[in-house]
PDB file of all heavy atoms in Angstrom:
ATOM      1  N   LEU J 407       9.282  24.932 -21.392  1.00  0.00           N
ATOM      2  CA  LEU J 407       8.119  25.221 -22.242  1.00  0.00           C
ATOM      3  C   LEU J 407       7.513  26.579 -21.908  1.00  0.00           C
ATOM      4  O   LEU J 407       7.041  27.290 -22.788  1.00  0.00           O
ATOM      5  CB  LEU J 407       7.065  24.121 -22.071  1.00  0.00           C
ATOM      6  CG  LEU J 407       7.458  22.748 -22.636  1.00  0.00           C
ATOM      7  CD1 LEU J 407       6.462  21.685 -22.193  1.00  0.00           C
ATOM      8  CD2 LEU J 407       7.547  22.786 -24.157  1.00  0.00           C
ATOM      9  N   ALA J 408       7.521  26.935 -20.620  1.00  0.00           N
ATOM     10  CA  ALA J 408       6.985  28.236 -20.217  1.00  0.00           C
ATOM     11  C   ALA J 408       7.908  29.384 -20.624  1.00  0.00           C
ATOM     12  O   ALA J 408       7.455  30.420 -21.109  1.00  0.00           O
ATOM     13  CB  ALA J 408       6.758  28.254 -18.702  1.00  0.00           C
ATOM     14  N   LEU J 409       9.221  29.174 -20.446  1.00  0.00           N
ATOM     15  CA  LEU J 409      10.193  30.253 -20.681  1.00  0.00           C
ATOM     16  C   LEU J 409      10.534  30.436 -22.157  1.00  0.00           C
ATOM     17  O   LEU J 409      10.656  31.560 -22.637  1.00  0.00           O
ATOM     18  CB  LEU J 409      11.471  29.975 -19.893  1.00  0.00           C
ATOM     19  CG  LEU J 409      11.350  30.026 -18.364  1.00  0.00           C
ATOM     20  CD1 LEU J 409      12.627  29.542 -17.709  1.00  0.00           C
ATOM     21  CD2 LEU J 409      11.014  31.432 -17.897  1.00  0.00           C
ATOM     22  N   PHE J 410      10.704  29.319 -22.873  1.00  0.00           N
ATOM     23  CA  PHE J 410      11.190  29.404 -24.257  1.00  0.00           C
ATOM     24  C   PHE J 410      10.100  29.235 -25.312  1.00  0.00           C
ATOM     25  O   PHE J 410      10.345  29.441 -26.499  1.00  0.00           O
ATOM     26  CB  PHE J 410      12.278  28.362 -24.493  1.00  0.00           C
ATOM     27  CG  PHE J 410      13.557  28.657 -23.757  1.00  0.00           C
ATOM     28  CD1 PHE J 410      13.831  28.065 -22.541  1.00  0.00           C
ATOM     29  CD2 PHE J 410      14.483  29.553 -24.275  1.00  0.00           C
ATOM     30  CE1 PHE J 410      14.999  28.338 -21.851  1.00  0.00           C
ATOM     31  CE2 PHE J 410      15.656  29.844 -23.593  1.00  0.00           C
ATOM     32  CZ  PHE J 410      15.911  29.236 -22.376  1.00  0.00           C
ATOM     33  N   PHE J 411       8.887  28.841 -24.885  1.00  0.00           N
ATOM     34  CA  PHE J 411       7.809  28.653 -25.852  1.00  0.00           C
ATOM     35  C   PHE J 411       6.532  29.375 -25.431  1.00  0.00           C
ATOM     36  O   PHE J 411       5.485  29.191 -26.044  1.00  0.00           O
ATOM     37  CB  PHE J 411       7.542  27.157 -26.047  1.00  0.00           C
ATOM     38  CG  PHE J 411       8.732  26.402 -26.581  1.00  0.00           C
ATOM     39  CD1 PHE J 411       9.635  25.808 -25.705  1.00  0.00           C
ATOM     40  CD2 PHE J 411       8.967  26.313 -27.941  1.00  0.00           C
ATOM     41  CE1 PHE J 411      10.750  25.127 -26.188  1.00  0.00           C
ATOM     42  CE2 PHE J 411      10.066  25.634 -28.429  1.00  0.00           C
ATOM     43  CZ  PHE J 411      10.964  25.047 -27.551  1.00  0.00           C
ATOM     44  N   SER J 412       6.635  30.191 -24.382  1.00  0.00           N
ATOM     45  CA  SER J 412       5.541  31.059 -23.921  1.00  0.00           C
ATOM     46  C   SER J 412       4.226  30.309 -23.695  1.00  0.00           C
ATOM     47  O   SER J 412       3.150  30.794 -24.033  1.00  0.00           O
ATOM     48  CB  SER J 412       5.321  32.192 -24.932  1.00  0.00           C
ATOM     49  OG  SER J 412       6.486  32.970 -25.072  1.00  0.00           O
ATOM     50  N   MET J 413       4.309  29.112 -23.136  1.00  0.00           N
ATOM     51  CA  MET J 413       3.101  28.332 -22.860  1.00  0.00           C
ATOM     52  C   MET J 413       2.564  28.665 -21.477  1.00  0.00           C
ATOM     53  O   MET J 413       3.322  28.928 -20.552  1.00  0.00           O
ATOM     54  CB  MET J 413       3.409  26.824 -22.926  1.00  0.00           C
ATOM     55  CG  MET J 413       3.753  26.308 -24.307  1.00  0.00           C
ATOM     56  SD  MET J 413       3.868  24.487 -24.308  1.00  0.00           S
ATOM     57  CE  MET J 413       4.557  24.212 -25.962  1.00  0.00           C
ATOM     58  N   GLY J 414       1.239  28.602 -21.355  1.00  0.00           N
ATOM     59  CA  GLY J 414       0.606  28.745 -20.059  1.00  0.00           C
ATOM     60  C   GLY J 414       0.840  27.496 -19.214  1.00  0.00           C
ATOM     61  O   GLY J 414       1.324  26.481 -19.711  1.00  0.00           O
ATOM     62  N   ALA J 415       0.441  27.560 -17.941  1.00  0.00           N
ATOM     63  CA  ALA J 415       0.736  26.474 -17.010  1.00  0.00           C
ATOM     64  C   ALA J 415       0.101  25.152 -17.429  1.00  0.00           C
ATOM     65  O   ALA J 415       0.753  24.103 -17.433  1.00  0.00           O
ATOM     66  CB  ALA J 415       0.272  26.859 -15.607  1.00  0.00           C
ATOM     67  N   ARG J 416      -1.188  25.167 -17.794  1.00  0.00           N
ATOM     68  CA  ARG J 416      -1.878  23.933 -18.186  1.00  0.00           C
ATOM     69  C   ARG J 416      -1.323  23.394 -19.498  1.00  0.00           C
ATOM     70  O   ARG J 416      -1.163  22.180 -19.681  1.00  0.00           O
ATOM     71  CB  ARG J 416      -3.382  24.176 -18.302  1.00  0.00           C
ATOM     72  CG  ARG J 416      -4.067  24.508 -16.977  1.00  0.00           C
ATOM     73  CD  ARG J 416      -5.542  24.808 -17.170  1.00  0.00           C
ATOM     74  NE  ARG J 416      -6.257  23.626 -17.618  1.00  0.00           N
ATOM     75  CZ  ARG J 416      -7.180  23.645 -18.578  1.00  0.00           C
ATOM     76  NH1 ARG J 416      -7.476  24.772 -19.205  1.00  0.00           N
ATOM     77  NH2 ARG J 416      -7.812  22.540 -18.914  1.00  0.00           N
ATOM     78  N   GLU J 417      -1.043  24.304 -20.413  1.00  0.00           N
ATOM     79  CA  GLU J 417      -0.482  23.922 -21.709  1.00  0.00           C
ATOM     80  C   GLU J 417       0.902  23.296 -21.545  1.00  0.00           C
ATOM     81  O   GLU J 417       1.219  22.257 -22.141  1.00  0.00           O
ATOM     82  CB  GLU J 417      -0.402  25.175 -22.590  1.00  0.00           C
ATOM     83  CG  GLU J 417      -0.282  24.898 -24.068  1.00  0.00           C
ATOM     84  CD  GLU J 417      -0.365  26.189 -24.874  1.00  0.00           C
ATOM     85  OE1 GLU J 417      -0.087  27.275 -24.318  1.00  0.00           O
ATOM     86  OE2 GLU J 417      -0.710  26.095 -26.049  1.00  0.00           O
ATOM     87  N   ALA J 418       1.730  23.928 -20.725  1.00  0.00           N
ATOM     88  CA  ALA J 418       3.077  23.411 -20.475  1.00  0.00           C
ATOM     89  C   ALA J 418       3.018  22.051 -19.784  1.00  0.00           C
ATOM     90  O   ALA J 418       3.828  21.157 -20.078  1.00  0.00           O
ATOM     91  CB  ALA J 418       3.865  24.402 -19.618  1.00  0.00           C
ATOM     92  N   ALA J 419       2.047  21.879 -18.871  1.00  0.00           N
ATOM     93  CA  ALA J 419       1.912  20.611 -18.153  1.00  0.00           C
ATOM     94  C   ALA J 419       1.595  19.467 -19.105  1.00  0.00           C
ATOM     95  O   ALA J 419       2.216  18.396 -19.046  1.00  0.00           O
ATOM     96  CB  ALA J 419       0.825  20.729 -17.087  1.00  0.00           C
ATOM     97  N   LEU J 420       0.635  19.663 -20.010  1.00  0.00           N
ATOM     98  CA  LEU J 420       0.256  18.604 -20.948  1.00  0.00           C
ATOM     99  C   LEU J 420       1.383  18.295 -21.924  1.00  0.00           C
ATOM    100  O   LEU J 420       1.671  17.122 -22.210  1.00  0.00           O
ATOM    101  CB  LEU J 420      -1.008  19.009 -21.714  1.00  0.00           C
ATOM    102  CG  LEU J 420      -1.514  17.981 -22.730  1.00  0.00           C
ATOM    103  CD1 LEU J 420      -1.819  16.649 -22.058  1.00  0.00           C
ATOM    104  CD2 LEU J 420      -2.757  18.514 -23.462  1.00  0.00           C
ATOM    105  N   ASN J 421       2.030  19.330 -22.444  1.00  0.00           N
ATOM    106  CA  ASN J 421       3.129  19.111 -23.379  1.00  0.00           C
ATOM    107  C   ASN J 421       4.325  18.461 -22.689  1.00  0.00           C
ATOM    108  O   ASN J 421       5.058  17.674 -23.293  1.00  0.00           O
ATOM    109  CB  ASN J 421       3.544  20.429 -24.034  1.00  0.00           C
ATOM    110  CG  ASN J 421       2.604  20.845 -25.149  1.00  0.00           C
ATOM    111  OD1 ASN J 421       2.809  20.525 -26.310  1.00  0.00           O
ATOM    112  ND2 ASN J 421       1.550  21.565 -24.802  1.00  0.00           N
TER     113      ASN J 421
END
Side-chain angles (χ1 to χ4, degrees):
L407 291 170
L409 293 172
F410 291 97
F411 299 92
S412 300
M413 292 188 189
R416 294 177 66 223
E417 199 174 23
L420 180 59
N421 281 268

